[in-house]
Amino acid sequence: MSDREESDLPNPVLVWERPEPERRPAPVPLSRDRIVNAAIELADAEGLSAVSLRKVAGLLGSGPMRLYGYIDTKEELLDLMVDAVYAEMIAEGPLDGGWQDALRTMAHRTRGVVHRHAWLTVLLSGRPHQGPNAMIHREASLAALSGQPGFADIAVALQALKTVNAYVVGALQDEASERHAIQASGMTDEEWQLATYPYLQRMLATGRFPNIARIVEEVDHPSHAEEFERGLQIILDGIAARMNR
Amino acid sequence: MSDREESDLPNPVLVWERPEPERRPAPVPLSRDRIVNAAIELADAEGLSAVSLRKVAGLLGSGPMRLYGYIDTKEELLDLMVDAVYAEMIAEGPLDGGWQDALRTMAHRTRGVVHRHAWLTVLLSGRPHQGPNAMIHREASLAALSGQPGFADIAVALQALKTVNAYVVGALQDEASERHAIQASGMTDEEWQLATYPYLQRMLATGRFPNIARIVEEVDHPSHAEEFERGLQIILDGIAARMNR
DNA sequence: GATCTTGAAAATACAGCGTATCTGTATAAT
DNA sequence: ATTATACAGATACGCTGTATTTTCAAGATC
């Protein structure tokens, strides 16, 4: 910062005294893969807001503008990040078992990657999943259903898939929103509980929220995992009911 | 812009020649409500990315820093925007009818506000809903269920509510992601269809996506509304199945 | 081998962002 | 009438995505 002050002047010293610029080192080799991996690394470590073209490029040892040889806009980088995660899910292997097992496995795999990459919840909204890995994933999901009894009609399989996916995405966002609020505040879980408790108590004390109050008092909350599983089972029951009609 | 050029010089003319600045006009009255409404107006008209403190303040005729008297960070403004939408939903009146009707009404109301305020899908991820209006909404939803047969246990009502909500949020994101991609490209629906069609065809031509191909060929896609409704019915069936056990 | 050409990387520049800090003034308190 | 306070506005900083300009390494040509 302050050691650049001298060079702010157009010509700080005589030419002879200034060092030549060191020869440009061979530029580090780049690829979409390397770029996307660097971006994911950043997002995992410091959140999606830490992903800037400057930082990604910096991590790779290049200038930010070089990335524009591989992507047209930052949006496209985010698209590539999402597709890379689909690749992760594919790599977890085939979906076997009955249709319920297949759908359950899919759901839990999605939950897994979202936990590994918390930034996904933000990107899943407002972004179509038409990348090659997303398509492979979708094909595999459909394939796991379309052979099964009751799913002869591919439309039924698609319907089931979309419904489960919608639930999974929504449920994960619910989980994430809580986690996010806590983390963003920079507090530990207990500190946050303690900080928001008075507000909740004051609201409940008004008597205008008897049902919420009952929940706070009576219900002992299951873990996120269990809650996720219960909701999922409801969906599967619904699909099963639909089939016997 | 360019009419300020002269005043870029430190002292354009002698003091005597310059007119006095007009007395400061009384600052326009501000409130969280006015601020939030301005922000929502902007978001509705030009998307969430158009919501900057500078623009919101500009719309209200004040400097950006004045907003910090009402909010601590921009994040808080977004929180207030979300809670304002919950107020909209509350204003639509009570939820009556059986539990299925109540849940269906809730779902469709949510779908309605998301259509009116497309930016909501982005904000729903990563933000807890603990504002006063969110709580009123939640209380009303629980109340609509907790009296019904089969929902004597409030935990069951909560479970049902959360599952439906998860589905609704996920399904709406699915809808939104498509719409968003099209709009972001600045094309009309048909142009976009035409622009992405070759890619899809090339992928399908590889033969690696037989199930997706079947869908493209065989299935005639229902409207978003119908698809939403079908998925919703699956959830409701699942909840019903759970109750008779 | 010296010169010229060319493609690509880096540097710079710009407009916009959230927000910290500084400055001036309209009003409240004395 | 004077001083104190609070608050609106101006300014500033470091960051962003990206357009434009500059610089240089390597290949082509003579």
Side-chain angles (χ1 to χ4, degrees):
Chain A
M1 306 279 160
S2 60
D3 53 354
R4 269 192 95 258
E5 264 167 25
E6 329 171 40
S7 62
D8 279 355
L9 304 173
N11 227 356
V13 283
L14 300 174
V15 208
W16 337 103
E17 290 196 309
R18 263 182 289 130
E20 296 188 30
E22 62 258 37
R23 302 183 99 262
R24 270 197 205 172
V28 58
L30 238 52
S31 68
R32 279 195 191 150
D33 251 29
R34 286 173 59 82
I35 293 170
V36 171
N37 285 338
I40 289 178
E41 216 172 288
L42 259 171
D44 285 347
E46 307 178 45
L48 194 60
S49 64
V51 176
S52 77
L53 296 186
R54 281 170 171 86
K55 286 194 201 135
V56 171
L59 212 58
L60 295 167
S62 91
M65 293 312 291
R66 235 190 111 190
L67 304 187
Y68 283 94
Y70 300 84
I71 52 171
D72 276 357
T73 67
K74 185 187 179 180
E75 280 285 292
E76 288 189 348
L77 173 57
L78 301 180
D79 289 343
L80 289 173
M81 288 171 71
V82 171
D83 206 56
V85 174
Y86 274 106
E88 270 186 48
M89 292 181 66
I90 297 166
E92 293 179 37
L95 301 157
D96 27 40
W99 63 268
Q100 297 223 20
D101 284 341
L103 285 172
R104 217 192 305 275
T105 303
M106 284 176 32
H108 283 110
R109 281 186 186 177
T110 304
R111 186 161 186 265
V113 293
V114 166
H115 281 193
R116 285 201 293 284
H117 308 295
W119 41 270
L120 260 183
T121 50
V122 184
L123 293 190
L124 288 184
S125 31
R127 205 168 300 279
H129 317 298
Q130 46 192 190
N133 290 311
M135 282 193 67
I136 292 172
H137 175 75
R138 167 147 287 222
E139 171 65 27
S141 307
L142 284 168
L145 294 184
S146 69
Q148 310 267 353
F151 293 95
D153 184 354
I154 190 85
V156 174
L158 181 62
Q159 170 83 62
L161 197 60
K162 283 199 165 190
T163 306
V164 171
N165 271 340
Y167 164 73
V168 168
V169 168
L172 290 176
Q173 289 208 354
D174 212 43
E175 282 188 42
S177 61
E178 215 175 303
R179 261 191 262 279
H180 180 83
I182 298 176
Q183 280 200 295
S185 71
M187 301 178 175
T188 70
D189 280 22
E190 295 101 26
E191 284 174 333
W192 197 79
Q193 226 74 305
L194 233 74
T196 55
Y197 187 75
Y199 168 72
L200 183 62
Q201 283 305 313
R202 222 173 308 122
M203 292 291 268
L204 295 186
T206 64
R208 290 165 54 211
F209 306 100
N211 286 284
I212 296 179
R214 271 185 70 192
I215 288 172
V216 172
E217 292 159 16
E218 298 177 20
V219 179
D220 49 4
H221 291 272
S223 69
H224 281 146
E226 200 172 335
E227 192 164 306
F228 180 81
E229 181 59 35
R230 285 189 200 169
L232 180 57
Q233 192 54 55
I234 288 180
I235 317 281
L236 297 181
D237 289 351
I239 295 172
R242 169 119 326 195
M243 279 168 45
N244 312 327
R245 192 179 290 178
Chain B
M1 308 278 161
S2 59
D3 53 354
R4 268 191 95 260
E5 265 169 24
E6 331 171 41
S7 61
D8 279 355
L9 305 175
N11 224 358
V13 282
L14 299 175
V15 206
W16 338 103
E17 290 195 310
R18 262 181 293 132
E20 296 188 29
E22 62 259 36
R23 300 182 102 269
R24 270 199 205 173
V28 59
L30 238 53
S31 69
R32 280 196 190 150
D33 252 29
R34 286 173 59 80
I35 294 169
V36 171
N37 284 339
I40 289 178
E41 214 172 289
L42 259 171
D44 285 347
E46 307 178 45
L48 194 59
S49 64
V51 176
S52 77
L53 296 187
R54 282 170 169 86
K55 285 196 203 134
V56 171
L59 213 57
L60 294 166
S62 91
M65 293 313 289
R66 234 190 113 189
L67 303 187
Y68 283 94
Y70 300 83
I71 52 170
D72 276 357
T73 67
K74 184 186 179 180
E75 279 284 292
E76 288 190 347
L77 173 57
L78 302 180
D79 290 343
L80 289 174
M81 288 170 71
V82 171
D83 207 55
V85 174
Y86 274 107
E88 269 186 49
M89 290 180 68
I90 297 166
E92 294 180 37
L95 302 157
D96 28 38
W99 64 268
Q100 297 222 21
D101 284 340
L103 285 172
R104 217 192 305 274
T105 303
M106 285 174 32
H108 283 111
R109 282 186 186 176
T110 304
R111 186 161 187 264
V113 293
V114 166
H115 281 192
R116 284 200 294 283
H117 308 294
W119 42 271
L120 260 182
T121 49
V122 184
L123 293 189
L124 288 184
S125 32
R127 204 168 300 277
H129 317 297
Q130 45 192 192
N133 290 312
M135 283 193 66
I136 292 172
H137 175 75
R138 168 148 287 223
E139 171 65 28
S141 307
L142 286 168
L145 294 184
S146 69
Q148 311 266 353
F151 292 96
D153 184 355
I154 189 84
V156 174
L158 181 62
Q159 169 83 62
L161 196 61
K162 282 198 165 190
T163 307
V164 171
N165 271 340
Y167 164 73
V168 168
V169 168
L172 290 176
Q173 288 208 356
D174 212 43
E175 282 189 40
S177 61
E178 214 175 303
R179 261 191 262 278
H180 180 84
I182 297 176
Q183 279 199 295
S185 70
M187 301 178 176
T188 70
D189 280 24
E190 295 100 26
E191 282 174 336
W192 196 78
Q193 226 74 306
L194 233 73
T196 56
Y197 187 74
Y199 169 73
L200 183 63
Q201 284 305 313
R202 221 172 310 120
M203 293 292 267
L204 295 185
T206 64
R208 290 164 55 211
F209 307 100
N211 286 283
I212 296 179
R214 270 186 70 193
I215 288 173
V216 172
E217 293 160 15
E218 298 177 20
V219 180
D220 49 4
H221 291 272
S223 69
H224 281 148
E226 199 173 335
E227 193 164 304
F228 180 81
E229 181 60 35
R230 285 190 199 169
L232 180 57
Q233 192 55 53
I234 288 181
I235 317 281
L236 297 181
D237 289 352
I239 294 172
R242 169 119 326 197
M243 281 169 42
N244 313 328
R245 192 179 289 178

